Amino acid sequence: MDHSAFIDVSNLSEEARKELMEFYTYLLKKYKLVKVKRSKMPIRKKDFKALSIDTIGYKFNREEANER
């Protein structure tokens, strides 16, 4: 998707321009990308714990699962 860097706001009133700027600021805060620092420690197999779930005899019923 191509994004334009400019929006023509010359036809808007001063109040509308202010509201547009506030909304733009809100969107910047809402969708701000947070950079996650990656650990430089190696991943060790012993660090992971497993959860065992018994599924023997389990039958999935879509109708029962979708009931509210």
Side-chain angles (χ1 to χ4, degrees), residues 34-67:
V34 178
K35 293 183 180 179
V36 177
K37 293 181 181 179
R38 295 203 179 259
S39 174
K40 294 186 180 189
M41 295 177 59
I43 298 174
R44 297 174 295 189
K45 197 172 190 177
K46 70 177 185 175
D47 291 338
F48 291 94
K49 307 266 188 267
L51 175 63
S52 180
I53 300 174
D54 181 16
T55 57
I56 297 173
Y58 175 77
K59 293 183 181 179
F60 179 76
N61 184 332
R62 185 176 300 273
E63 296 299 322
E64 288 179 13
N66 288 329
E67 284 182 8

Side-chain angles (χ1 to χ4, degrees), residues 25-41:
T25 305
Y26 161 76
L27 289 177
L28 286 176
K29 289 179 182 178
K30 181 178 179 183
Y31 295 104
K32 182 179 179 182
L33 296 176
V34 178
K35 293 183 180 179
V36 177
K37 293 181 181 179
R38 295 203 179 259
S39 174
K40 294 186 180 189
M41 295 177 59

Side-chain angles (χ1 to χ4, degrees), residues 1-5:
M1 183 186 313
D2 185 29
H3 298 286
S4 175

